[in-house]
């Protein structure tokens, strides 16, 4: 049971967390980054990453995250493989309790716990995730040039993913479990007007079908027509599951302002949360872009904002120190008088 104090505590080891760590460490703040269960975050389950600047050839997601980890460590971050189980933001310093039994105290906290795409959980989905199944059209749409793909879902995400995929795929079929979309009307108008898009209503994907190793890849779907109860198989070139995301915010519920969808609220053009010594970066606050490069940028912002806060706090300390000394002196004097 070790208690460790740091000026900047960072929770989360994705692009936001590591970028925050790099900036905080280079500002000589000696940050501690607690990784969580999945160090590297969502990119560790991705193969080719072609949209993170700096890599002329596609970089593998796990390799990119390993490089970020090493970079953060190299410039002076303490990386701890632990999972934070509870946080008390009302304390100063903030108190975070690790699964290991260790306690982490931070003058400033940067939350970079990310989000997870929701999955259907149907048979075959886990087998072909990254091999024909994706939850991010912007990340992976490029790999489906000229192919026929499906998007599963009926909200804003599904409609946006479908529209984005029309840039690459020859045909996009949206499969939705009901007979009505819940996406915004303006998106629906663009969606229904697009010549490459078709919709299959009242249909569930009950299984993902494919080839096993060595040519592991998704080849088709088993669909259930909810109206008739009839199951059919269709072949597909790729499938995008777009049924929403879960931001990892359970630790902070009731302690920070959040959006209705459970994302941590931040001020515009800032990563400032509803508490003065807490910043939030990456997908845990971003329900719009959900991109590694954006998360990395937000991590940088969070570290710069935390650094400014800590510098101002330090600058104000001599005044506090003076006040304390004056109080002590007054007490001494009054003691003298009493005496
Ligand atoms: P939503 O919760 O809005 O929609 C999820 C969709 O997935 C629904 O159509 C739902 O079906 C379907 N779904 C959920 N679970 C299953 C399942 N097990 N099997 C089949 N279908 C399923 O999530 P979004 O990610 O689309 O949006 C989340 C939030 O983010 C919303 O507030 C949205 O407005 C916002 N957003 C905004 C964007 C923008 O402003 N441009 C872009 C993306 C998101 P059903 O309809 O039957 O419930």
């Amino acid at each position: 049971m070790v208690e460790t104090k740091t000026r900047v505590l960072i929770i989360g080891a994705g692009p936001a967390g590591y970028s925050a760590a790099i900036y905080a460490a280079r500002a000589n703040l000696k940050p501690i980054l607690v990784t969580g269960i999945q160090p590297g975050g969502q990119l560790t389950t991705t193969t080719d990453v072609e949209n993170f600047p700096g890599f002329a050839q596609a970089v593998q997601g796990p390799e990119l995250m390993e490089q970020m980890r090493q970079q953060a460590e190299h410039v002076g971050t303490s990386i701890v493989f632990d999972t934070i189980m509870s946080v008390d933001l009302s304390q100063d310093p903030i108190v975070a309790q690790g699964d290991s039994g260790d306690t982490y105290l931070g003058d400033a906290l940067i939350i970079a716990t990310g989000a997870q795409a929701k999955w259907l959980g149907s048979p075959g989905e886990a087998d072909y995730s990254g091999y024909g199944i994706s939850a991010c059209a912007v990340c992976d749409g490029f790999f489906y040039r000229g192919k026929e793909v499906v998007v599963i879902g009926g909200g804003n995400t599904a409609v946006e993913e479908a529209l984005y995929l029309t840039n690459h795929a020859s045909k996009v079929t949206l499969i939705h479990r009901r007979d009505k979309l819940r996406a915004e009307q303006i998106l629906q108008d663009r969606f229904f007007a697009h010549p490459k898009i078709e919709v299959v209503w009242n249909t569930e994907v009950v299984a993902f079908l494919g080839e096993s190793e060595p040519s592991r890849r998704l080849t088709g779907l088993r669909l259930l027509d909810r109206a008739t109860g009839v199951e059919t198989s269709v072949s597909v070139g790729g499938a995008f599951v777009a049924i929403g995301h879960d931001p990892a915010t359970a630790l902070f519920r009731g302690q920070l302002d959040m959006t209705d969808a459970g994302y941590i609220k931040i001020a515009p053009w800032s990563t400032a949360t509803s508490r003065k010594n807490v910043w939030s970066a990456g997908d845990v606050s971003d329900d719009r872009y959900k991109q590694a490069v954006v998360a990395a940028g937000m991590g940088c912002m969070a570290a710069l904002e935390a650094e400014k806060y800590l510098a101002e706090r330090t600058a104000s300390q001599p005044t506090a120190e003076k006040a304390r000394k004056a109080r002590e002196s007054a007490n001494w004097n009054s003691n003298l008088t009493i005496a």
Side-chain angles (χ1 to χ4, degrees):
M1 311 278 180
V2 180
E3 189 174 279
T4 320
K5 166 91 197 314
T6 176
R7 300 211 75 198
V8 181
L9 178 63
I10 300 166
I11 308 178
Y18 283 139
S19 299
I22 291 164
Y23 274 78
R26 294 189 77 258
N28 210 21
L29 293 170
K30 299 185 174 48
I32 293 178
L33 182 152
V34 184
T35 61
I37 293 169
Q38 190 188 21
Q42 294 175 71
L43 279 187
T44 54
T45 57
T46 309
T47 50
D48 286 356
V49 178
E50 286 189 337
N51 56 7
F52 200 89
F55 300 90
Q57 306 300 322
V59 58
Q60 296 298 296
E63 169 61 13
L64 177 61
M65 298 320 299
E66 175 57 16
Q67 287 294 325
M68 284 192 205
R69 186 190 68 76
Q70 288 184 24
Q71 188 179 354
E73 212 160 35
H74 177 73
V75 292
T77 308
S78 286
I79 296 176
V80 182
F81 295 96
D82 197 354
T83 302
I84 299 299
M85 304 305 285
S86 68
V87 178
D88 186 349
L89 301 183
S90 67
Q91 307 275 333
D92 189 1
I94 285 162
V95 181
Q97 199 62 53
D99 190 34
S100 62
D102 292 350
T103 303
Y104 308 90
L105 307 178
D107 289 330
L109 174 68
I110 297 177
I111 300 169
T113 46
Q116 292 287 342
K118 289 184 194 163
W119 296 97
L120 292 169
S122 308
E125 188 178 47
D127 299 331
Y128 302 111
S129 176
Y131 297 86
I133 302 177
S134 168
C136 177
V138 174
C139 316
D140 299 326
F142 193 67
F143 303 119
Y144 296 90
R145 275 166 305 211
K147 293 190 177 167
E148 296 196 0
V149 300
V150 302
V151 174
I152 302 145
N156 275 343
T157 301
V159 167
E160 282 200 337
E161 300 267 281
L163 285 166
Y164 180 85
L165 286 165
T166 59
N167 295 318
H168 301 292
S170 58
K171 182 179 166 193
V172 180
T173 305
L174 186 104
I175 299 173
H176 185 35
R177 65 182 176 185
R178 290 190 299 132
D179 61 356
K180 202 163 172 261
L181 299 179
R182 65 168 74 234
E184 287 165 24
Q185 196 55 49
I186 187 163
L187 284 173
Q188 290 201 34
D189 293 346
R190 285 177 53 209
F191 175 86
F192 287 117
H194 204 290
K196 275 192 187 176
I197 293 178
E198 271 183 19
V199 186
V200 176
W201 299 108
N202 295 312
T203 299
E204 275 176 33
V205 176
V206 289
F208 292 86
L209 315 171
E211 292 170 6
S212 42
E213 300 289 7
S215 57
R216 179 172 165 190
R217 73 185 177 95
L218 177 80
T219 56
L221 304 174
R222 187 102 188 123
L223 302 177
L224 168 70
D225 183 323
R226 285 165 55 122
T228 61
V230 173
E231 284 195 16
T232 49
S233 295
V234 294
S235 55
V236 292
F240 289 80
V241 178
I243 59 170
H245 289 79
D246 275 330
T249 52
L251 282 175
F252 314 104
R253 230 164 265 152
Q255 302 194 74
L256 288 174
D257 289 354
M258 298 196 189
T259 67
D260 291 345
Y263 291 81
I264 295 174
K265 269 192 190 166
I266 49 175
W269 270 102
S270 165
T271 58
T273 68
S274 50
R275 283 189 187 262
K276 68 175 192 300
N277 52 351
V278 181
W279 291 264
S280 175
D283 287 12
V284 71
S285 278
D286 174 12
D287 66 353
R288 188 167 179 192
Y289 301 107
K290 305 181 185 100
Q291 297 301 301
V293 68
V294 175
M298 292 175 78
C300 159
M301 289 165 67
L304 294 177
E305 290 173 289
E307 182 201 355
K308 185 164 179 283
Y309 162 81
L310 291 170
E312 285 169 3
R313 189 172 138 133
T314 305
S316 68
Q317 256 167 6
T319 317
E321 190 68 9
K322 267 185 236 148
R324 187 179 63 79
K325 283 193 177 143
R327 264 199 316 275
E328 278 174 7
S329 165
N331 285 341
W332 186 75
N333 284 336
S334 64
N335 284 344
L336 257 189
T337 312
I338 292 160

